[in-house]
Amino acid sequence: MGPNFNNISRVLSRIDEINRQFHTFQPPETNTQKSKFIDVMNDVQRARTKTKSNISGKTSYPELEDVISECAEKYNIDNELIRAMIQVESGWHTDAVSNKGAQGLMQLMPRTAAMLGVDDPFDPVQNIEGGVRYISDLTDKYRGDIEKALAAYNAGPARVDSGNIPDVSKRYVKNIMAIYRKLREVG
């Protein structure tokens, strides 16, 4: 049986479609040339990278203070709570990955990140925005009960709703609340 030309034709049509969609990302000097698909995709990647934060690896609060403050205000979550969560979740490592697959500063699970619209969980701005939005939603769900919201952030809302909060999640909540209280005292 020979090659299926219908499928090949569809793939080539899709490549042309993508090429047309992202034509605006090409550098001006290549606009007059017929570009290869890989060149178009590289241009798209470069354009996306320009919008990302240049912070990577180990960070600290001063480097992310503006992002944290904006998210705290936007989602009505205390700045100190966000800082405590980042400290416990990742130790301020933007590239952190847990043994269960949680990623970034606020340790978002891939499905949770996707649900929150986080395209790159290792981008600190996207990760913090997504994590703060999620804890805000959980705080609303549990009517302002921060400890329940934190337990749901760690173990999942289904476990909290069933009353089956694992011990590891209880310790997680205790640790965050201890740091949160200290940060509030310091101001």
Side-chain angles (χ1 to χ4, degrees):
M1 179 177 240
N4 184 338
F5 290 107
N6 287 336
N7 286 341
I8 292 171
S9 178
R10 279 201 311 248
V11 168
L12 290 174
S13 293
R14 180 68 180 134
I15 289 171
D16 288 341
E17 179 185 331
I18 292 169
N19 193 357
R20 280 191 303 276
Q21 286 178 345
F22 295 107
H23 186 72
T24 58
F25 286 109
Q26 293 177 338
E29 64 272 9
T30 63
N31 278 343
T32 58
Q33 304 170 6
K34 180 141 177 106
S35 298
K36 294 178 183 174
F37 178 73
I38 191 71
D39 295 331
V40 172
M41 296 312 292
N42 286 338
D43 293 339
V44 170
Q45 184 61 37
R46 276 194 294 278
R48 290 174 113 188
T49 305
K50 287 179 187 174
T51 64
K52 288 184 181 181
S53 168
N54 61 359
I55 298 171
S56 65
K58 177 92 166 120
T59 62
S60 64
Y61 174 64
E63 291 176 280
L64 297 167
E65 183 174 6
D66 292 341
V67 175
I68 291 170
S69 294
E70 287 172 23
C71 289
E73 186 175 324
K74 182 177 180 179
Y75 294 106
N76 196 29
I77 296 292
D78 285 344
N79 184 304
E80 296 85 1
L81 180 63
I82 299 167
R83 291 169 60 191
M85 289 178 70
I86 292 171
Q87 179 62 44
V88 171
E89 288 286 357
S90 67
W92 295 91
H93 288 273
T94 62
D95 54 359
V97 179
S98 76
N99 60 352
K100 293 193 178 191
Q103 303 169 325
L105 287 168
M106 295 193 75
Q107 292 289 277
L108 299 175
M109 292 298 286
R111 283 180 48 192
T112 304
M115 173 189 78
L116 295 166
V118 175
D119 296 323
D120 180 0
F122 299 108
D123 175 14
V125 175
Q126 288 187 46
N127 190 284
I128 292 170
E129 173 90 20
V132 174
R133 181 173 151 213
Y134 189 45
I135 193 65
S136 175
D137 290 348
L138 292 170
T139 303
D140 290 346
K141 175 181 170 72
Y142 296 108
R143 296 189 172 111
D145 187 333
I146 294 171
E147 293 187 18
K148 267 191 179 175
L150 287 169
Y153 189 96
N154 183 260
R159 283 199 167 157
V160 172
D161 293 346
S162 71
N164 187 22
I165 301 171
D167 288 339
V168 69
S169 295
K170 291 175 184 174
R171 285 192 301 276
Y172 167 86
V173 171
K174 249 183 169 172
N175 289 339
I176 288 180
M177 292 306 292
I179 294 169
Y180 174 49
R181 286 183 193 105
K182 284 182 184 175
L183 289 172
R184 287 196 65 154
E185 285 173 14
V186 174

